[in-house]
Amino acid sequence: MKRTHRTLVRASLAAFLVAAPATSQVAAASQEPAAATPQITAADVPVPQAPAPYDHPRLPDEPDKVLFHPNSEVEAAAGGLRDGRRHGPWVLYDRGGTVEARGSFADYHRTGEWTYYHPDGTRREQGVFVEGQRQGPWYAWYTNGTPRSAGEVERGLMTGSWVEWSRDGALLNAGQKKLGEREGRSTWFHPNGRPSRTGDYRSGVENGEWREFHPNGQLFQRGRYVMGLPFGRWLAWHPNGQPLSAGVYGPDGQVGVGTRWFDDGT
């Protein structure tokens, strides 16, 4: 779908592209100062607190149903039944016999609180199911116990505000999602907490003006996307604020001749 949509976007952009102003736009780049650093940093982003572990009910000593992995005597799952369908608490196991997930079923649909585990027994994901679909806040962790992601889910699809962290605990990204795809404003961060890039998404691809920044906070580059494709004038700067490059993009890439400068402005 996205490939077909991008093909249509390329055709539309090609029809409206006017390459003549490219030379004047590039020449003017050295006269245009880099914009000020945005105020938002990783410390400004509200992040959800890690939830406490769920207190899952224990299985009875003799559960109603025990399933095994194919061609194996290792249990794959065990839990209760009602009218021949999964109901009540269940435990899922990996091929090594380690608990992979705990939660409950209602008439064969996952329901209520569920926890998924890494092979070492630490939490991997945690949240609630409603009628077999993830719903509400969901939280995920790396194997070392640091948070990986957190946000809201509606009918099984990520929606609203989501945040992501690196394995060492630094905030990587904060942004909006809709129907499982990025939608609206999203910001990435450097390990020092300053923004690395920020802009808007539409249907999961970059759309509108985007800005990228050096780790020292200086603007690195600025330009516009149209449904995932860079389009129009793009400008870039060195970490010291001196112009780095300037060019104009059309549906098939750079238009005309771009310009580059050394960090001393020459």
Side-chain angles (χ1 to χ4, degrees):
M1 290 294 293
K2 287 184 180 179
R3 180 176 297 179
T4 302
H5 186 65
R6 286 194 177 192
T7 300
L8 295 175
V9 171
R10 286 179 184 274
S12 298
L13 292 179
F16 290 100
L17 177 65
V18 179
T23 302
S24 60
Q25 288 179 338
V26 171
S30 60
Q31 309 297 322
E32 184 171 347
T37 304
Q39 297 299 310
I40 186 173
T41 66
D44 300 319
V45 177
V47 297
Q49 295 295 315
Y54 291 143
D55 185 16
H56 294 288
R58 295 180 60 85
L59 293 182
D61 293 337
E62 296 184 6
D64 296 335
K65 187 70 173 180
V66 177
L67 304 175
F68 296 88
H69 287 286
N71 304 316
S72 172
E73 296 182 357
V74 177
E75 291 186 13
L81 295 177
R82 189 175 72 177
D83 298 330
R85 297 172 66 82
R86 294 189 189 188
H87 194 87
W90 274 74
V91 177
L92 311 183
Y93 303 91
D94 63 22
R95 287 186 171 273
T98 301
V99 174
E100 189 173 49
R102 291 182 183 272
S104 294
F105 284 87
D107 194 28
Y108 211 78
H109 295 296
R110 299 187 190 210
T111 188
E113 299 171 343
W114 274 79
T115 303
Y116 295 82
Y117 302 92
H118 292 291
D120 64 358
T122 58
R123 288 182 294 173
R124 176 167 60 88
E125 288 183 281
Q126 179 175 299
V128 170
F129 280 87
V130 175
E131 297 182 347
Q133 293 184 319
R134 298 186 182 208
Q135 184 74 25
W138 272 81
Y139 212 95
W141 295 265
Y142 291 101
T143 53
N144 63 358
T146 59
R148 189 184 72 192
S149 63
E152 294 282 331
V153 179
E154 183 175 349
R155 297 183 179 180
L157 298 174
M158 294 179 289
T159 188
S161 298
W162 273 81
V163 292
E164 300 170 78
W165 293 271
S166 66
R167 192 177 182 84
D168 61 6
L171 188 64
L172 280 179
N173 170 262
Q176 300 293 311
K177 294 189 179 184
K178 181 179 180 181
L179 299 178
E181 294 187 324
R182 298 188 188 276
E183 183 78 18
R185 180 54 51 95
S186 192
T187 302
W188 274 260
F189 300 92
H190 290 291
N192 64 6
R194 287 177 171 170
S196 61
R197 64 191 306 255
T198 185
D200 290 329
Y201 279 90
R202 182 179 178 185
S203 300
V205 297
E206 296 97 331
N207 193 66
E209 183 177 86
W210 274 76
R211 299 186 179 206
E212 299 185 24
F213 301 87
H214 293 287
N216 67 356
Q218 172 64 47
L219 183 64
F220 167 46
Q221 66 176 356
R222 183 180 70 215
R224 183 176 182 82
Y225 286 96
V226 176
M227 296 308 294
L229 299 174
F231 189 76
R233 183 177 63 171
W234 277 77
L235 306 175
W237 293 267
H238 289 283
N240 64 359
Q242 289 291 338
L244 169 62
S245 64
V248 176
Y249 287 83
D252 297 313
Q254 187 168 328
V255 177
V257 178
T259 304
R260 295 183 66 88
W261 291 271
F262 292 106
D263 60 6
D264 62 359
T266 59

